[in-house]
Amino acid sequence: MSAEPSPQSPWQAATITRIEKRTPRVTSFWFQPSRPFAHLAGQHVDVRLTAPDGYQARRSYSIASAPGAVVELAIERLDDGEVSPFFHDVAAVGDEIELRGPLGGHFIWEESDGGPILLVGGGSGVVPLMAMVRHRTLRNKAVPVALVFSARVWDEVIFRDELIGLDDRRDGFDLVLTLTREPARRPPDYSRRVDARMMVQAVERLPKAPRLAYVCGSNAFVSAAADALIGAGVPAGIIRTERYGV
């Protein structure tokens, strides 16, 4: 299966099958595409909305679901956005939207890539990392994974209950949360921004040096986290990044 589809990957209709609120500003939408859809963990889709007057708005969203599952997009509400307010205020189960993909061939993890892997996400940047975590859980629990997830406050930790549940299994998945605007809630967690010392300790949670490291979030977060990883001794050549926003 190719990780990177043709640039001419066609648009197709997809039906919303389920909606679940994740945080005050993030809601998950599950889609059933009208044609076969095979994605890799870390890929994304383009979504297109068309107004009655013909005006079109497009937005790219990372896929949160593991390969082989119905497509889950965790969409953060942006008050000045053209697409996210539609999903949060208008979209309902049974509605059809247009999507194109899967897209992206660099920021992916396949079972054959092995591990250990270190994941670092900021805010909604955790979404493609969640696809990797779920894929590992379903396909190869022998791969050690450490996830450092930065959020402003406890209530903004996307997929919080699922991630903590996976962490509690003690099967090689290790979760560290770092809250930047309130005290940590769990003993292993932090109350500060990502830094080199935090990355050193994250690497130490793995049984050996990471084979790959993935960083996703805003431009500022990715720059700071990648620098912190390098400062912690992680080789730049194994760090893969994905940025959103301006």
Side-chain angles (χ1 to χ4, degrees):
M1 178 172 56
S2 172
E4 181 72 53
S6 163
Q8 302 304 315
S9 180
W11 293 95
Q12 65 169 303
T15 303
I16 299 175
T17 61
R18 178 183 168 194
I19 299 174
E20 179 181 333
K21 198 168 187 64
R22 295 289 189 183
T23 73
R25 299 191 64 82
V26 176
T27 297
S28 279
F29 297 82
W30 281 261
F31 298 88
Q32 181 62 61
S34 56
R35 295 195 297 274
F37 188 97
H39 73 279
L40 304 178
Q43 289 188 301
H44 63 276
V45 297
D46 287 343
V47 170
R48 181 170 69 183
L49 303 178
T50 303
D53 63 1
Y55 175 77
Q56 292 183 330
R58 300 181 185 181
R59 179 74 164 85
S60 294
Y61 292 106
S62 295
I63 302 170
S65 45
V70 175
V71 179
E72 178 189 352
L73 305 181
I75 298 177
E76 181 177 10
R77 181 188 182 97
L78 302 176
D79 294 331
D80 58 350
E82 292 186 307
V83 174
S84 65
F86 166 82
F87 280 105
H88 283 257
D89 298 337
V90 179
V93 170
D95 288 350
E96 280 193 351
I97 58 95
E98 288 184 291
L99 62 76
R100 178 174 63 183
L103 304 168
H106 170 70
F107 196 80
I108 60 171
W109 180 78
E110 299 182 79
E111 185 180 358
S112 59
D113 291 327
I117 58 175
L118 176 58
L119 311 177
V120 186
S124 58
V126 76
V127 175
L129 307 181
M130 192 67 193
M132 298 176 191
V133 170
R134 288 168 165 170
H135 186 42
R136 174 259 180 197
T137 300
L138 291 172
R139 295 298 301 273
N140 192 352
K141 292 183 181 179
V143 175
V145 175
L147 169 62
V148 179
F149 181 9
S150 175
R152 294 184 301 179
V153 297
W154 180 253
D155 287 343
E156 293 181 3
V157 177
I158 310 169
F159 310 115
R160 186 183 67 204
D161 292 344
E162 182 178 354
L163 286 170
I164 291 175
L166 291 173
D167 189 40
D168 288 343
R169 294 181 184 181
R170 303 292 184 232
D171 65 357
F173 171 72
D174 203 334
L175 172 69
V176 176
L177 301 175
T178 182
L179 306 180
T180 61
R181 296 191 180 179
E182 68 177 32
R185 300 285 188 94
R186 308 186 314 152
D189 295 342
Y190 301 94
S191 301
R192 65 179 193 268
R193 297 183 184 277
V194 168
D195 55 31
R197 180 57 186 158
M198 191 184 298
M199 293 299 97
V200 167
Q201 293 171 342
V203 170
E204 290 173 347
R205 292 174 175 272
L206 296 170
K208 59 182 180 179
R211 181 180 179 85
L212 291 167
Y214 297 81
V215 184
C216 186
S218 66
N219 276 320
F221 176 85
V222 170
S223 295
D227 287 346
L229 283 171
I230 293 171
V234 177
I238 72 166
I239 302 173
R240 300 180 182 180
T241 63
E242 185 96 314
R243 303 165 186 262
Y244 62 81
V246 296

